[in-house]
């Protein structure tokens, strides 16, 4: 195989259709990740005709400083999709395609990879010249089509969790904790700022005053109870200089939400374990698409971070259970807790 044949072989290893699809999907996933946080990124990007134009303006215009760091990160992520693909193809050629003798000749020829590098730059120009809105729409279609042909989808995982998740059992567990609090915990109010004659906020530098035990007769439904203070001081650390440090008095809303979330995540973890054990091939395909390494196949937080679908659907599922709990009659919940305990 002469030099030109080797070069043609190397260039033939580049699958432009595959790379374009990967590039589009990665853009969609990153933008979708921002969308669920109500970010301005997608709106800003789609105001331009090309990715290149969008990044040129956004990264150099003070008017876009609120999304500067996110867009800089997005640009680097997309560049790496291309760079890593070309590096992987080059490694594949040197390790599995060319013979040791050919590799020796390639290493001695400083100009050998010039055409390969030019091809890479052409791909860069082509993909970054695409329209942001079109990339998003096409990638969304790619993913929907992939889901139709997958034997295990993210929606299937949610359905599996719904099957094993017993709403009444969970509400019963929360009811028992509610009943225990009513019967055994102290009720607090925030101290009044006598100088201004105004109630202080829930900041932890204010003082909680105990006012006796809870009385179930004070609550028609549970919603007002959720704003009562637990008496626990919550401290969130800031940076090394102390910037951003927050302390406040915890409420039962936060307390019960954390319990519910832990129960849901625990159920999801058991679903992952079940699928990994009994549908390992299908589960592996799905995890590969989500770019989850084998060591993280049961890492709930890692998987939720990479799967926008699971993250969104799980939040919706949690919100449904929470609404059912928060709208419960206090007396009914109290009786249910008494019965369960």
């Amino acid at each position: 195989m002469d030099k030109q044949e080797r070069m043609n072989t190397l260039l033939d290893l580049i699958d432009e259709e595959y790379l374009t699809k990967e590039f589009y999907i990665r853009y969609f996933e990153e933008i979708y990740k921002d969308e669920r946080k109500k970010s301005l990124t997608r709106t800003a990007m789609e105001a331009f005709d090309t990715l290149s134009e969008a990044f040129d303006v956004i990264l150099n215009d003070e008017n876009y400083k609120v999304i500067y760091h996110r867009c800089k990160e997005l640009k680097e992520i997309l560049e790496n999709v291309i760079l890593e693909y070309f590096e992987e193809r080059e490694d594949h050629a040197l390790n599995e395609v060319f013979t040791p003798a050919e590799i020796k000749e390639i290493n001695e020829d400083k100009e050998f990879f010039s055409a390969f590098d030019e091809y890479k730059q052409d791909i860069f120009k082509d993909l970054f010249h695409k329209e942001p809105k079109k990339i998003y729409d096409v990638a969304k279609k790619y993913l929907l089509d992939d889901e139709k042909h997958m034997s295990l989808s993210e929606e299937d995982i949610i359905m599996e969790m719904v099957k094993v998740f017993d709403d009444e059992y969970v509400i019963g567990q929360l009811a028992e904790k509610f009943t225990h609090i009513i019967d055994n915990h102290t009720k607090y109010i925030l101290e009044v700022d006598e100088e201004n004659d105004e109630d202080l906020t829930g900041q932890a530098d204010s003082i909680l005053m105990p006012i006796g035990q809870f009385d179930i007769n004070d609550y028609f439904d549970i919603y007002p109870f959720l704003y009562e203070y637990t008496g626990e001081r919550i401290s969130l650390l800031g940076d090394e200089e102390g910037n951003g440090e927050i302390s406040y008095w915890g409420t039962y809303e936060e307390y019960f939400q954390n319990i519910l979330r832990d129960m849901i995540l625990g159920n999801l973890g058991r679903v992952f374990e079940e699928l990994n054990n009994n549908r390992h091939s299908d589960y592996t395909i799905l995890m590969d698409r989500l770019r989850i390494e084998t060591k993280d196949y049961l890492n709930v937080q890692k998987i939720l971070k990479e799967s926008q679908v699971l993250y969104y659907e799980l939040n919706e599922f949690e919100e449904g259970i929470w609404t059912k709990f928060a709208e419960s009659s206090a007396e009914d919940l109290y009786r249910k807790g008494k019965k369960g305990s």
Side-chain angles (χ1 to χ4, degrees), residues 255-308:
Y255 171 81
F256 279 103
Q257 282 181 335
N258 288 336
I259 293 173
L260 175 59
R261 187 170 298 113
D262 287 344
M263 295 180 76
I264 290 175
L265 294 180
N267 271 268
L268 183 60
R270 286 188 282 276
V271 169
F272 287 157
E273 187 172 357
E274 181 75 15
L275 292 171
N276 188 46
N277 291 335
N278 300 324
R279 296 182 61 182
H280 184 71
S281 295
D282 295 337
Y283 189 71
T284 297
I285 292 171
L286 178 58
M287 291 299 104
D288 287 346
R289 187 176 73 75
L290 294 175
R291 300 185 182 87
I292 302 295
E293 297 180 15
T294 305
K295 65 182 179 66
D296 291 320
Y297 275 11
L298 302 180
N299 187 329
V300 175
Q301 295 294 348
K302 177 71 173 178
I303 295 171
L304 288 177
K305 182 179 179 182
E306 297 299 328
S307 171
Q308 292 79 31

Side-chain angles (χ1 to χ4, degrees), residues 15-77:
D15 185 339
E16 286 191 38
E17 183 177 345
Y18 170 84
L19 177 55
T20 298
K21 183 176 180 179
E22 287 295 298
F23 185 90
Y24 278 28
I25 289 175
R26 193 57 190 275
Y27 176 82
F28 174 87
E29 289 176 338
E30 293 298 322
I31 293 295
Y32 190 87
K33 187 188 301 181
D34 289 346
E35 280 293 289
R36 73 181 189 218
K37 299 175 184 175
K38 295 182 173 60
S39 168
L40 300 174
T41 309
R42 181 182 176 188
T43 302
M45 294 294 294
E46 292 188 358
F48 300 94
D49 294 330
T50 69
L51 284 178
S52 181
E53 181 187 3
F55 288 129
D56 284 345
V57 175
I58 292 173
L59 299 182
N60 293 284
D61 189 330
E62 280 292 311
N63 292 323
Y64 293 96
K65 64 182 179 180
V66 68
I67 58 172
Y68 171 86
H69 292 291
R70 179 57 183 137
C71 287
K72 184 174 183 289
E73 179 187 40
L74 177 60
K75 182 173 183 286
E76 291 171 353
I77 288 171

Side-chain angles (χ1 to χ4, degrees), residues 222-256:
I222 194 175
Y223 192 76
F225 165 81
L226 296 174
Y227 289 95
E228 300 283 5
Y229 293 103
T230 64
E232 180 184 8
R233 177 182 176 131
I234 309 296
S235 295
L236 303 178
L237 298 178
D239 56 27
E240 294 180 357
E241 287 73 35
N243 298 318
E245 185 172 345
I246 298 174
S247 293
Y248 61 93
W249 297 112
T251 65
Y252 283 107
E253 178 183 38
E254 187 175 23
Y255 171 81
F256 279 103

Side-chain angles (χ1 to χ4, degrees), residues 186-203:
T186 301
K187 185 174 182 179
Y188 299 94
I189 61 169
L190 283 169
E191 184 184 49
V192 173
D193 183 345
E194 297 179 356
E195 182 177 339
N196 297 315
D197 198 28
E198 293 178 355
D199 288 340
L200 296 173
T201 67
Q203 296 298 313

Side-chain angles (χ1 to χ4, degrees), residues 96-336:
E96 300 182 36
V97 176
F98 297 131
T99 66
E102 289 172 331
I103 293 174
K104 184 175 183 297
E105 290 185 31
I106 289 171
N107 290 335
E108 292 173 351
D109 183 356
K110 296 181 179 179
E111 301 298 322
F112 179 79
F113 287 102
S114 59
F116 190 68
D117 291 336
E118 289 175 6
Y119 186 19
K120 179 166 55 180
Q121 290 306 313
D122 288 341
I123 295 291
F124 262 100
K125 291 178 183 178
D126 179 59
L127 290 178
F128 276 85
H129 196 68
K130 302 297 185 183
E131 181 184 355
K133 186 178 187 309
K134 181 178 179 181
I135 293 176
Y136 186 93
D137 292 341
V138 172
K140 186 175 182 179
K141 184 177 185 303
Y142 281 150
L143 290 172
L144 289 173
D145 289 343
D146 285 348
E147 289 288 345
K148 292 175 184 176
H149 296 95
M150 285 181 64
S151 53
L152 179 66
S153 68
E154 290 152 285
E155 285 80 1
D156 291 333
I157 289 179
I158 293 295
M159 291 303 298
E160 288 297 319
M161 196 189 78
V162 171
K163 289 178 186 176
V164 301
F165 195 88
D166 187 337
D167 292 15
E168 290 305 315
Y169 171 79
V170 171
I171 296 294
Q173 291 294 297
L174 298 178
E176 287 186 29
K177 294 184 182 301
F178 170 67
T179 300
H180 179 79
I181 291 166
I182 292 294
D183 288 345
N184 299 283
H185 285 207
T186 301
K187 185 174 182 179
Y188 299 94
I189 61 169
L190 283 169
E191 184 184 49
V192 173
D193 183 345
E194 297 179 356
E195 182 177 339
N196 297 315
D197 198 28
E198 293 178 355
D199 288 340
L200 296 173
T201 67
Q203 296 298 313
D205 56 358
S206 55
I207 300 174
L208 284 182
M209 300 293 292
I211 56 172
Q213 298 300 115
F214 284 102
D215 184 344
I216 187 61
N217 295 314
D218 291 339
Y219 306 99
F220 177 74
D221 55 41
I222 194 175
Y223 192 76
F225 165 81
L226 296 174
Y227 289 95
E228 300 283 5
Y229 293 103
T230 64
E232 180 184 8
R233 177 182 176 131
I234 309 296
S235 295
L236 303 178
L237 298 178
D239 56 27
E240 294 180 357
E241 287 73 35
N243 298 318
E245 185 172 345
I246 298 174
S247 293
Y248 61 93
W249 297 112
T251 65
Y252 283 107
E253 178 183 38
E254 187 175 23
Y255 171 81
F256 279 103
Q257 282 181 335
N258 288 336
I259 293 173
L260 175 59
R261 187 170 298 113
D262 287 344
M263 295 180 76
I264 290 175
L265 294 180
N267 271 268
L268 183 60
R270 286 188 282 276
V271 169
F272 287 157
E273 187 172 357
E274 181 75 15
L275 292 171
N276 188 46
N277 291 335
N278 300 324
R279 296 182 61 182
H280 184 71
S281 295
D282 295 337
Y283 189 71
T284 297
I285 292 171
L286 178 58
M287 291 299 104
D288 287 346
R289 187 176 73 75
L290 294 175
R291 300 185 182 87
I292 302 295
E293 297 180 15
T294 305
K295 65 182 179 66
D296 291 320
Y297 275 11
L298 302 180
N299 187 329
V300 175
Q301 295 294 348
K302 177 71 173 178
I303 295 171
L304 288 177
K305 182 179 179 182
E306 297 299 328
S307 171
Q308 292 79 31
V309 173
L310 282 176
Y311 181 93
Y312 175 79
E313 293 294 339
L314 200 70
N315 281 347
E316 290 290 299
F317 180 73
E318 181 181 336
E319 183 62 28
I321 305 295
W322 176 254
T323 299
K324 184 176 180 180
F325 171 70
E327 294 179 351
S328 298
S329 157
E331 181 62 36
D332 289 348
L333 207 62
Y334 184 78
R335 284 201 302 268
K336 184 189 289 283

